[in-house]
Amino acid sequence: MIIDLPNTTISQVSKALVKMREENGVVALGRVLTLIISASTGSEEVAIEAANDASREHPMRVLVVCANGDSTLEARLDAEIRVGGDAGASEVIILRASGEAASDEQSLVMGLLLPDAPVVTWWPGTAPAVPGHAPLGRIAHRRITDASAQPNPQAALAQLAASYMPGDIDFAWTRLTLWRAQLAAVLDQPPYSPVTSVHVEGSDDSPSTTLLSAWLHSALEAPTEYVLTPGATSHGIHSVRMERSTGAIDLTRSVAGVAVLTQPEQPTHSLALPRRNLRDCLADELRRLDPDELYGQVITEALARLGASQPITTGPAA
């Protein structure tokens, strides 16, 4: 069910929610958090779809803020409420504000937050320079960004490192979960000889490649180089090679999302290692609402050490 509220106020939106609960039995009980999505007009549907899918694992209230603060526009707030089959296991409230009505994003959402429930803010597109100081970031327990969605992903990663505050997280790190798990599992098997060097390759629009290199450099304390290839047909991480005295371990991913693992005296294995979609990344990050300390250490300390020890090498265009 979808209810449109053109040229409305937050008070009227709140009253409409109460009326829906009374007339249709829509309740906020069981909602575990409030997810605020800050998106530009026209791009919000992709984020809403991912939130609806994730809500089946994390029932929540979703507040979508599309603010256009252009002072030449009419001060206006249009709202849309979605429940039932149009909102997954959540209730979605879309707030489209323009002109003076968009000047204070925090005041737009304060009256719609679930009481005594944690708040997560997600910027699926362009993120503020310092998420923790942004109006919607100050009220959030967790702040989710996506460096790969920025115009310059590698520069965005550097900005995230400079502005990091506990509670920040980026999908560039979330997309590494399967890679980190697979590489850790390989090193947990004999022989247990130390890694002497690491080589990582990926696309130049993949901040995950840089973060994976920083994590390996810090965890293994081995010389690490990473190659970012411009114009690559396959986005994301391409391969990881870990050299040991007993031979090299190679994990290489093809375009189809299938990785091939080769290591000395072992058969070659094919592994499913697809790029994680928005739904999987969002659901993963909503499983924990405390600061990710490992991400904080990698984005600040490990990334700085990686940059000092080995500059980025840019390979030829594919």
Side-chain angles (χ1 to χ4, degrees):
M1 181 171 59
I2 299 177
I3 296 178
D4 287 317
L5 298 171
N7 199 14
T8 186
T9 65
I10 293 300
S11 176
Q12 291 173 340
V13 174
S14 182
K15 290 177 182 178
L17 286 169
V18 173
K19 184 178 180 181
M20 291 175 65
R21 287 197 292 268
E22 293 175 347
E23 295 182 353
N24 304 303
V26 178
V27 298
L29 297 178
R31 305 289 188 243
V32 298
L33 59 91
T34 301
L35 174 66
I36 302 173
I37 302 175
S38 180
S40 59
T41 301
S43 65
E44 69 274 17
E45 291 299 335
V46 174
I48 292 172
E49 183 179 354
N52 286 346
D53 288 343
S55 72
R56 291 174 171 84
E57 183 177 342
H58 310 281
M60 55 189 167
R61 172 173 288 180
V62 180
L63 304 179
V64 184
V65 180
C66 302
N68 186 344
D70 187 344
S71 59
T72 63
L73 297 176
E74 173 191 3
R76 182 185 176 97
L77 174 64
D78 297 319
E80 182 180 313
I81 301 174
R82 301 180 186 178
V83 295
D86 296 293
S90 64
E91 51 191 1
V92 178
I93 300 117
I94 305 173
L95 304 172
R96 297 184 175 93
S98 60
E100 186 65 26
S103 61
D104 189 352
E105 293 179 317
Q106 190 175 120
S107 66
L108 286 175
V109 302
M110 289 300 293
L112 300 174
L113 301 179
L114 292 175
D116 303 320
V119 177
V120 178
T121 299
W122 173 30
W123 292 271
T126 302
V130 185
H133 290 167
L136 297 180
R138 288 195 296 266
I139 60 176
H141 296 77
R142 294 293 299 277
R143 296 169 293 275
I144 303 174
T145 55
D146 191 351
S148 65
Q150 310 309 307
N152 186 333
Q154 299 299 332
L157 195 63
Q159 177 61 37
L160 289 173
S163 64
Y164 174 78
M165 297 174 62
D168 291 354
I169 195 69
D170 192 89
F171 280 163
W173 176 252
T174 316
R175 293 187 181 100
L176 291 180
T177 301
L178 300 179
W179 282 87
R180 291 168 52 216
Q182 188 58 56
L183 293 172
V186 171
L187 294 177
D188 278 343
Q189 301 172 7
Y192 302 106
S193 53
V195 174
T196 57
S197 67
V198 178
H199 181 85
V200 183
E201 294 188 16
S203 173
D204 64 347
D205 64 356
S206 169
S208 295
T209 301
T210 307
L211 281 181
L212 179 61
S213 304
W215 175 69
L216 288 170
H217 181 58
S218 176
L220 301 175
E221 298 183 348
T224 303
E225 68 173 6
Y226 59 109
V227 175
L228 301 178
T229 306
T233 56
S234 176
H235 299 287
I237 303 166
H238 299 165
S239 65
V240 175
R241 164 170 281 219
M242 299 184 292
E243 296 280 358
R244 300 195 292 189
S245 59
T246 53
I249 299 172
D250 286 291
L251 183 60
T252 304
R253 181 169 64 181
S254 67
V255 177
V258 177
V260 176
L261 174 65
T262 57
Q263 49 188 324
E265 301 180 3
Q266 293 286 339
T268 298
H269 296 282
S270 294
L271 310 168
L273 202 62
R275 259 191 124 208
R276 306 186 77 190
N277 57 34
L278 279 181
R279 185 269 173 210
D280 291 339
C281 290
L282 182 60
D284 197 354
E285 289 306 329
L286 295 180
R287 292 189 185 106
R288 56 178 299 171
L289 297 178
D290 56 317
D292 189 328
E293 296 180 356
L294 180 57
Y295 168 75
Q297 184 264 324
V298 170
I299 193 70
T300 54
E301 301 173 16
L303 198 61
R305 289 198 297 270
L306 177 70
S309 64
Q310 176 60 51
I312 295 177
T313 301
T314 303

